[in-house]
Amino acid sequence: QETKYNLNGVELKQVKIRSGLITLELSSSIQEIVDLTYLMPDATKAGIPFSFTESIPAGTQTLQATITRSYDLSGYTIDMRGVNLNDYNTMVAQFTANISTSAIDSVVINQGDKFDMKYTFTDIETEFAIGYFGSYSISNSYTEPIDIFKNIPSGYLNIDSIRMDMKIENGFGIDAQLRIDTLKSINTTTGGSAALTHSLIGNAINLTRALNFASPGYPFTYSEYNITVNTNNSNINALVETLPDQFQYALVMDINPFGNNSYGNDFLYYASDVKISVDLNVPARFEANGLTIADTVDFDLGKDPGTEHETTVVGGFFYLYADNGFPFDARLQIYLYDENFAIIDSLMVPPNNTITAAPVDLSHKVITKFQSRLDIPVDDEKMILLEQAKKALVKTVFTSKPNNQIMTIYSDYQINLKLIGDITYRAKVN
């Protein structure tokens, strides 16, 4: 018999099963054992058709005997073109049901006796399929985290040149149209965001089908579509200058927008997908105004805060020596955390917390590092808090010098910090 399935516009000619089961429920009211032989001649694995033989116990006039069996279809390739090889979504099965040769006596089959066979496919995953996959649309939106600016929670950047190279790869043997309705940068710390304006936004991109021959690591070859977004054809600067930690996309993909152009030769593999990759090129040339860089570091004076505070600080200072090799003034603050990441104190005392920018030549390149010293007064109370600290959050706020000037940042630019204590203690002598 032939069984044709309605797959909502999909017309399959061949499917290779990666994994999955066929489960059969076999019932008989015949009052003798029945032997069933089942064969799917067009479902083959290593050239051998799928088949099985089962025996169903004898039923009664009032009760059918039933057994349930499952069979693994992994690795089977199924030709779904029917007996005459001119159809689709069609499976062919042959089966015979015989009174078992072990029957004790002849059996009378009465009116109303029946033999039932029900089967279901379970957890089917497709390794490969070919046919016509229909014409429809898929909408999706998603958010992609980025960590380029993970240590820069706030501030203003004025960058003079940015390029974003977007590559769209189609791993399906299907023609498609992709429309990007939204591409937005989001800074979840500040709440800032900016939406990209570019010709690709809201306009359909025709994606040609993948090629059905192997490439390194894949049984197929991706088709590619490349887009360059830069400061000349978009507002990409606005997106990057929000210092985003997320990119948000909203997409619509039309499958086979022009109908069955392949004449039933669409294909897909288990590994098929559509990939969108973004390569963001941010040159190290910018103006900074209130640009904040933050990082958390370990901080431990080596004293157990649970022990008695045996000495008393009469007074003194920590001296923070900063050798600044960047053409930016920097305001520094250090917050002390306990083991639960609760702020217990801060070290710097504004406005005496500014590190002076390094001097530059006529081409605005740093000539030499500039050393600043920041004095941090310490008393007995602050010393106790310092002993309790386990972490320190270091925040640095940069501003370009000279102002309103795009600066080039070179790989050898550095800031070196050294903290020195000059503390007077009062010791108790017994």
Side-chain angles (χ1 to χ4, degrees):
Q1 70 175 28
E2 290 184 319
T3 303
K4 188 167 185 175
Y5 297 92
N6 180 1
L7 301 181
N8 296 321
V10 176
E11 301 172 0
L12 294 178
K13 296 196 297 187
Q14 185 188 83
V15 175
K16 183 176 181 179
I17 305 299
R18 179 181 178 87
S19 62
L21 302 173
I22 182 172
T23 299
L24 293 101
E25 183 182 290
L26 308 173
S27 302
S28 173
S29 63
I30 299 171
Q31 298 175 48
E32 254 308 344
I33 298 172
V34 175
D35 292 333
L36 172 74
T37 299
Y38 185 90
L39 169 70
M40 288 194 294
D42 296 333
T44 59
K45 183 177 181 178
I48 300 173
F50 174 84
S51 65
F52 67 86
T53 299
E54 292 286 354
S55 295
I56 297 88
T60 67
Q61 289 183 336
T62 59
L63 182 66
Q64 286 184 277
T66 301
I67 65 171
T68 301
R69 298 287 187 269
S70 294
Y71 304 92
D72 188 4
L73 290 176
S74 301
Y76 278 90
T77 299
I78 306 173
D79 190 324
M80 303 190 70
R81 294 176 296 169
V83 172
N84 297 319
L85 303 180
N86 61 357
D87 210 342
Y88 53 85
N89 297 348
T90 301
M91 296 186 66
V92 178
Q94 298 175 1
F95 56 91
T96 57
N98 299 303
I99 303 301
S100 175
T101 55
S102 64
I104 297 174
D105 202 351
S106 60
V107 60
V108 176
I109 299 178
N110 300 303
Q111 183 177 355
D113 280 340
K114 60 182 179 178
F115 181 88
D116 286 338
M117 180 171 58
K118 300 177 182 178
Y119 59 89
T120 57
F121 295 100
T122 307
D123 299 328
I124 297 295
E125 286 190 344
T126 303
E127 184 66 41
F128 173 77
I130 191 168
Y132 172 55
F133 296 153
S135 181
Y136 53 93
S137 293
I138 302 171
S139 299
N140 197 7
S141 61
Y142 60 97
T143 301
E144 184 79 16
I146 61 173
D147 60 5
I148 298 175
F149 308 105
K150 65 180 180 180
N151 289 330
I152 308 177
S154 63
Y156 170 73
L157 278 179
N158 178 16
I159 303 176
D160 67 344
S161 179
I162 304 172
R163 188 182 75 250
M164 182 174 71
D165 296 319
M166 178 180 291
K167 181 166 68 173
I168 305 170
E169 298 175 274
N170 182 12
F172 293 91
I174 308 170
D175 291 326
Q177 281 187 337
L178 176 67
R179 192 179 76 243
I180 302 175
D181 287 335
T182 303
L183 197 166
K184 180 189 294 185
S185 67
I186 299 173
N187 184 321
T188 58
T189 301
T190 66
S193 66
L196 180 68
T197 56
H198 183 274
S199 59
L200 74 90
I201 302 298
N203 293 311
I205 301 168
N206 290 322
L207 303 180
T208 56
R209 61 186 53 238
L211 301 176
N212 197 9
F213 59 81
S215 60
Y218 296 94
F220 55 88
T221 299
Y222 283 98
S223 69
E224 292 185 8
Y225 189 92
N226 295 284
I227 305 166
T228 296
V229 180
N230 55 42
T231 51
N232 296 321
N233 61 20
S234 74
N235 68 333
I236 186 65
N237 277 31
L239 271 69
V240 173
E241 288 168 3
T242 62
L243 306 176
D245 53 18
Q246 293 180 352
F247 273 152
Q248 187 179 84
Y249 305 83
L251 312 172
V252 177
M253 180 171 287
D254 295 326
I255 305 301
N256 282 322
F258 310 112
N260 190 4
N261 276 357
S262 71
Y263 301 102
N265 287 299
D266 295 350
F267 71 86
L268 62 81
Y269 288 86
Y270 179 78
S272 293
D273 59 2
V274 174
K275 298 190 290 188
I276 301 177
S277 57
V278 173
D279 182 12
L280 188 62
N281 187 314
V282 182
R285 280 179 49 79
F286 55 85
E287 175 198 354
N289 185 4
L291 179 67
T292 301
I293 295 179
D295 200 6
T296 301
V297 297
D298 291 329
F299 185 96
D300 194 344
L301 291 184
K303 265 196 94 162
D304 182 359
T307 62
E308 183 181 356
H309 187 67
E310 298 174 350
T311 60
T312 301
V313 174
V314 175
F317 287 87
F318 279 122
Y319 299 112
L320 182 67
Y321 290 91
D323 292 327
N324 188 2
F326 283 85
F328 303 136
D329 280 347
R331 295 196 315 276
L332 185 68
Q333 184 55 273
I334 301 174
Y335 297 97
L336 301 178
Y337 288 173
D338 63 15
E339 64 274 7
N340 298 316
F341 287 92
I343 295 178
I344 57 177
D345 199 5
S346 59
L347 288 185
M348 315 307 297
V349 180
N352 300 319
N353 62 334
T354 299
I355 300 170
T356 303
V360 297
D361 58 21
L362 294 177
S363 63
H364 301 293
K365 186 172 183 179
V366 169
I367 302 169
T368 184
K369 292 179 181 177
F370 188 92
Q371 187 177 89
S372 301
R373 192 186 83 177
L374 304 179
D375 297 350
I376 307 168
V378 177
D379 56 19
D380 186 57
E381 182 179 350
K382 184 174 285 289
M383 195 67 195
I384 294 174
L385 295 174
L386 285 170
E387 291 170 359
Q388 295 173 352
K390 296 301 180 185
K391 297 284 184 180
L393 174 65
V394 182
K395 272 192 174 183
T396 308
V397 181
F398 289 104
T399 302
S400 298
K401 286 290 184 178
N403 294 330
N404 302 318
Q405 176 65 51
I406 298 292
M407 309 296 289
T408 299
I409 307 304
Y410 294 92
S411 60
D412 58 345
Y413 284 5
Q414 293 179 338
I415 291 181
N416 302 112
L417 303 176
K418 182 186 292 186
L419 187 65
I420 295 175
D422 186 3
I423 308 297
T424 302
Y425 288 89
R426 178 184 296 114
K428 181 178 179 181
V429 179
N430 294 323

